């Protein structure tokens, strides 16, 4: 059964399976295991980034297609949900319609970029995606009447997803293991459940014959063409599918934050984070997205605090306490990532995974 | 009338190249190649290194676009068609560099080549009997295979489904003698099934053993065409066209062995 759910593509390593199981359990029970606004927020972001990075892995790790427009598709999904919620009112229909419009728009945009530029050499395609993504980011900040410009848009979710909505009052007295049963909890599980489904869909896609053809194209384009596969068609299909999934992740991000803005969904920094997460986790594995996103977001959110505790613990040692000062957290994060890429050139999953 | 047409189709060559010119960037490689591949025969394309044999095969597959002439497969001009459509029209191609997908398993490599549907058990049985290592290495990543095993996989991939024409580029290149023998048996089997094959082969003994017809290329054009047997028997012709003869090649080989 589990094999079938995972499309017969298991982690193929006991250590990796245990790690993935821990992450799954941690995310599934996050509101109960780590109650707190910040921890649950980190868990939700991890869920969304897993989907976003997995969809990028479909493109880069499996298809060998380098694109810098992935955040653009993420942003399209996020803005669609925000705009439909703002204009159609706070309802589930607006959310579903927004996510659907976002996915369709992202697919069309990906198909247009693909049709015009996937025939050229990889480096030109990468440059074109970068140009289009930058252009869209500028457009979003310029059309402030529609998009809220640099300030972004804040919108309201359906009442059932708000903190004021309480449920289970009669059955559980409103709390389970000390956690309040409210709309925020429901929103977390909406994000978690949808992310899980989207992740499994991505896993299914790469393990279907489609994924095999993509891998073949990545390795030897002419050979794939010479055994009868239209390379450009497959590349466009991969770009579209990956864009649609990224757009759904964007929709989830907007729902979770109840806000969209250029810096949270369209920035180049976000694109670099996606690349970094994929490289650390392991390209062409899909599971790399899970490990990479968890590690990256935990480090990003807790390294500074951990360093603060460490410096207060060791006291005032010259040089050492200056180096470990919480203000230097970005330096240590950089060093950690360099070490991880050096120690695991094929990514963490690629390092631990055994050949089939 | 219908019988006459059938007869005409059966007699018509499966592949025909007329005055094909191909440029690779600024270099003019093929200089008017005329070539006919009869149905149900093994046609050898021979010549020294760099005369344009591989370019001819790649031009047929559409990897290099021809800028003059025509390539007709089964009566239809394929010179402007995309490579994938040329392959799907019924051509199994084994490239010189084997072109296996090293990140995929042997099974996945074979599945990709069987694009018409699931692999036929009978055909797979024949391939396993011909190339036994592929059966034992079925779930191994192709990148871990030895050179000979990779070549077996490359040829097996072309054979997994029946094709109207097989284009094979140097199937015995760099292989150990035992594996060359296996490869020759496999190709002989394919020939005995009545397949049409166009093959480039540097090992003249293999070419002589398998070929029905031969075309010898010199400087980007076919200089001599005729029965393989006639070329194999005429040592002077071999020397003038290819710079060696079968006899001297055999002598050189035995001299190398004894030293």
């Amino acid at each position: 059964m589990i094999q079938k759910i995972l499309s017969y593509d298991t982690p193929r390593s006991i250590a990796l399976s245990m790690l993935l199981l821990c992450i799954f359990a941690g995310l599934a029970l996050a509101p109960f295991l780590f109650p707190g606004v910040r921890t649950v927020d980190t868990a939700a972001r991890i869920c969304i980034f897993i989907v976003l990075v997995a969809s990028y892995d479909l493109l880069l790790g499996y298809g060998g297609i380098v694109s810098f427009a992935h955040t653009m598709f993420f942003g399209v999904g996020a803005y669609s949900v925000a705009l439909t919620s703002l204009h159609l009112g706070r309802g589930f229909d607006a959310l579903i319609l927004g996510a659907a419009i976002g996915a369709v728009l992202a697919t069309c945009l990906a198909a247009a970029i693909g049709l015009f530029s996937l025939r050229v050499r990889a480096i030109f395609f990468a440059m074109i995606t970068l140009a289009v993504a930058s252009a869209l980011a500028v457009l979003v900040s310029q059309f402030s009447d529609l998009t809220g410009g640099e300030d972004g848009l804040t919108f309201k979710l359906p009442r059932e997803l708000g903190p004021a909505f309480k449920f289970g009052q009669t059955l559980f007295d409103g709390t389970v293991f000390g956690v309040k049963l409210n709309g925020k909890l429901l929103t977390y599980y909406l994000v978690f459940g949808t992310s899980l489904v989207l992740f499994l869909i991505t896993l299914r896609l790469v393990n279907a014959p489609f994924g095999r053809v993509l891998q073949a194209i990545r390795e030897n384009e002419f050979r794939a063409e010479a055994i009868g596969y239209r390379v450009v068609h497959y590349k466009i299909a991969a770009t579209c599918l990956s864009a649609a999934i990224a757009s759904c992740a964007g929709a989830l991000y907007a729902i979770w934050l109840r806000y969209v803005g250029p810096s949270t969904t369209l920035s180049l920094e976000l694109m670099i984070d996606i690349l970094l997460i994929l490289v650390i986790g392991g390209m062409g594995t899909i599971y790399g997205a899970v490990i990479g996103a968890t590690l990256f977001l935990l480090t990003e959110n807790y390294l500074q605090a951990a360093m603060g505790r460490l410096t207060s613990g060791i006291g005032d040692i010259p040089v050492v306490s200056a180096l470990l000062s919480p203000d230097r957290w970005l330096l240590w994060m950089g060093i950690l990532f360099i070490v991880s890429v050096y120690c695991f050139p094929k990514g963490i999953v690629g390092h631990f995974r055994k050949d089939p | 009338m219908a019988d006459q047409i059938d007869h005409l189709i059966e007699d018509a060559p499966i592949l025909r190249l007329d005055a094909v010119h191909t440029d690779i960037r600024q270099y003019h490689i093929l200089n008017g190649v005329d070539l006919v591949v009869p149905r149900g025969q093994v046609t050898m394309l021979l010549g020294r290194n760099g005369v344009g044999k591989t370019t001819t095969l790649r031009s047929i597959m559409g990897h290099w676009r021809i800028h003059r002439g025509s390539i007709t497969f089964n009566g239809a001009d394929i010179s402007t068609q995309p490579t994938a459509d040329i392959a799907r029209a019924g051509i199994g191609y084994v490239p010189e560099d084997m072109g296996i997908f090293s990140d995929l398993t042997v099974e996945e490599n074979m599945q990709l080549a069987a694009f018409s549907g699931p692999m036929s058990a009978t055909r797979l049985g024949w391939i396993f009997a011909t190339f036994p290592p592929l059966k034992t290495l079925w779930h191994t990543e192709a990148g871990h295979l030895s050179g000979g095993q990779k070549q077996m996989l490359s040829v097996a991939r072309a054979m997994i489904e029946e094709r109207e024409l097989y284009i094979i580029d140097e199937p015995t290149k760099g292989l150990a003698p035992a594996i060359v023998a296996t490869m020759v048996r496999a190709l002989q089997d394919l020939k005995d099934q009545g397949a049409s094959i166009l093959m480039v082969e540097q090992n003249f003994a293999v070419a002589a053993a398998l070929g029905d017809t031969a075309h010898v290329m010199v400087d980007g054009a076919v200089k001599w065409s005729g029965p393989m047997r006639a070329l194999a028997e005429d040592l002077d012709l071999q020397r003038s066209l290819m710079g060696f003869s079968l006899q001297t090649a055999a002598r050189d080989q035995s001299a190398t062995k004894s030293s």
Side-chain angles (χ1 to χ4, degrees):
Chain A
M1 179 68 181
I2 290 174
Q3 288 258 349
K4 200 175 174 186
I5 290 171
L6 297 177
S7 308
Y8 303 96
D9 183 13
T10 50
R12 299 203 299 270
S13 149
I14 293 172
L16 208 58
S17 305
M18 296 309 288
L19 195 59
L20 288 166
L21 208 62
C22 286
I23 293 173
F24 174 73
L27 291 175
L29 303 170
F32 301 98
L33 290 176
F34 321 103
V37 176
R38 192 166 173 207
T39 44
V40 177
D41 180 61
T42 308
R45 281 172 199 258
I46 290 174
C47 293
I48 294 161
F49 269 75
I50 287 172
V51 176
L52 181 62
V53 176
S55 67
Y56 193 60
D57 197 16
L58 165 71
L59 201 61
L60 180 64
Y62 284 83
I65 303 164
V66 183
S67 159
F68 289 107
H70 214 59
T71 45
M72 177 175 80
F73 305 126
F74 186 64
V76 165
Y79 271 94
S80 297
V81 164
L83 287 170
T84 49
S85 294
L86 274 175
H87 295 288
L88 298 178
R90 53 196 300 193
F92 281 100
D93 51 346
L95 294 187
I96 293 167
L97 188 69
I101 291 174
V104 172
L105 255 177
T107 308
C108 295
L109 213 55
I113 299 175
L115 273 173
F116 285 110
S117 51
L118 271 172
R119 288 170 200 275
V120 298
R121 281 166 59 186
I123 184 73
F124 295 121
F125 177 74
M127 290 300 109
I128 288 166
T129 55
L130 185 62
V132 175
S134 308
L136 193 92
V138 172
L139 278 178
V140 165
S141 67
Q142 292 297 315
F143 282 97
S144 49
D145 289 347
L146 181 71
T147 61
E150 287 297 322
D151 296 335
L153 298 168
T154 310
F155 61 96
K156 284 182 177 162
L157 289 178
R159 205 168 303 281
E160 291 79 2
L161 298 180
F165 177 74
K166 307 268 191 284
F167 64 96
Q169 300 290 339
T170 47
L171 210 58
F172 301 107
D173 207 17
T175 57
V176 171
F177 300 117
V179 176
K180 283 181 191 158
L181 302 179
N182 61 15
K184 197 68 189 166
L185 189 73
L186 279 184
T187 316
Y188 177 78
Y189 280 105
L190 174 74
V191 168
F192 173 78
T194 318
S195 299
L196 184 64
V197 171
L198 288 171
F199 176 79
L200 292 175
I201 289 174
T202 315
L203 197 62
R204 182 79 202 95
L205 278 173
V206 299
N207 285 292
F210 173 75
R212 296 281 163 268
V213 178
L214 280 187
Q215 281 177 292
I217 290 170
R218 181 193 62 197
E219 232 182 288
N220 191 335
E221 239 177 71
F222 171 61
R223 187 61 198 136
E225 188 95 29
I227 54 175
Y229 297 99
R230 287 273 195 106
V231 167
V232 175
H233 291 187
Y234 276 88
K235 278 184 168 182
I236 292 174
T239 316
C240 291
L241 283 167
S242 138
I245 297 168
S247 153
C248 292
L252 287 179
Y253 202 44
I255 291 170
W256 178 251
L257 296 178
R258 281 173 289 161
Y259 162 80
V260 282
S263 58
T264 51
T265 54
L266 292 165
S267 69
L268 191 64
E269 285 81 11
L270 191 66
M271 189 64 237
I272 291 167
D273 287 353
I274 296 173
L275 264 170
L276 206 57
I277 293 172
L278 191 55
V279 170
I280 292 166
M283 276 194 279
T285 58
I286 295 293
Y287 290 110
V290 181
I291 309 271
T294 310
L295 212 64
F296 185 89
L297 287 159
L298 285 181
T299 318
E300 196 179 50
N301 283 290
Y302 294 105
L303 184 65
Q304 197 173 11
M307 283 172 67
R309 270 192 216 137
L310 194 68
T311 39
S312 63
I314 59 169
D316 193 18
I317 306 169
V319 187
V320 177
S321 46
L323 270 175
L324 293 176
S325 152
D327 296 340
R328 310 254 189 280
W329 74 279
L330 266 174
L331 168 80
W332 287 103
M333 189 163 140
I335 291 172
L336 271 178
F337 290 142
I338 292 169
V339 170
S340 105
V341 171
Y342 185 77
C343 296
F344 309 114
K346 284 155 78 182
I348 296 170
V349 173
H351 182 83
F352 286 108
R353 209 170 198 198
K354 290 183 193 78
D355 288 337
Chain B
M1 185 66 186
D3 284 353
Q4 275 178 334
I5 291 169
D6 283 349
H7 182 67
L8 279 173
I9 291 170
E10 271 171 32
D11 279 353
I14 188 146
L15 182 79
R16 184 184 186 98
L17 276 72
D18 289 300
V20 166
H21 289 253
T22 302
D23 290 351
I24 301 177
R25 287 177 283 276
Q26 70 267 42
Y27 304 105
H28 189 58
I29 308 290
L30 298 189
N31 191 22
V33 173
D34 294 301
L35 187 73
V36 169
V37 178
R39 220 171 271 274
Q41 286 192 22
V42 177
T43 306
M44 289 291 171
L45 191 58
L46 307 171
R48 293 175 187 177
N49 279 337
V51 292
K53 305 184 296 291
T54 295
T55 306
T56 305
L57 301 192
R58 289 183 168 198
S59 298
I60 297 168
M61 292 309 295
H63 184 43
W64 301 122
R65 287 289 161 200
I66 65 170
H67 77 267
R68 220 169 346 133
S70 69
I71 301 173
T72 319
F73 175 64
N74 257 343
D77 186 5
I78 56 164
S79 59
T80 53
Q81 282 189 24
T83 301
D85 291 2
I86 297 172
R88 290 201 179 229
I91 301 181
Y93 174 55
V94 181
E96 190 184 13
D97 61 2
M98 299 180 272
I100 57 141
F101 304 118
S102 50
D103 284 349
L104 302 183
T105 62
V106 171
E107 181 186 15
E108 287 165 346
N109 266 275
M110 297 288 279
Q111 268 169 352
L112 276 179
F115 53 69
S116 309
M119 290 182 276
S120 134
T122 325
R123 203 116 181 130
L124 208 55
W126 168 53
I127 285 171
F128 285 155
T130 315
F131 301 123
L134 294 186
K135 190 174 184 179
T136 43
L137 298 164
W138 193 235
H139 296 294
T140 309
E141 271 187 21
H144 296 162
L145 267 53
S146 71
Q149 289 160 349
K150 282 180 184 166
Q151 186 62 283
M152 288 179 194
L153 173 59
S154 184
V155 174
R157 221 168 38 173
M159 302 193 322
I160 186 66
E161 283 184 352
E162 199 177 336
R163 304 271 180 254
E164 292 199 56
L165 172 68
Y166 298 87
I167 295 182
I168 307 172
D169 199 352
E170 296 203 39
T172 65
K173 187 183 174 186
L175 299 185
I179 302 173
V180 171
T182 308
M183 199 59 74
V184 170
R185 268 199 306 277
L187 296 170
Q188 184 67 50
D189 244 18
L190 199 61
K191 180 183 171 177
D192 293 345
Q193 290 173 15
S196 311
I197 303 173
L198 170 63
M199 196 193 304
V200 165
E201 182 54 69
Q202 289 282 18
N203 185 331
F204 197 80
V206 171
L210 289 169
D212 296 309
T213 319
H215 298 274
V216 184
M217 287 185 75
V218 176
D219 290 337
V222 173
K223 179 93 177 222
W224 183 90
S225 298
M228 185 71 225
R229 190 180 293 170
L231 182 64
E233 285 169 357
D234 193 335
L235 303 182
D236 289 334
L237 186 64
Q238 287 170 34
R239 211 172 288 124
S240 70
L241 291 169
M242 294 179 286
F244 71 92
S245 70
L246 186 53
Q247 209 170 45
T248 49
R251 201 176 53 220
D252 288 349
Q253 221 169 12
S254 61
T256 320
K257 271 184 195 164
S258 62
S259 68

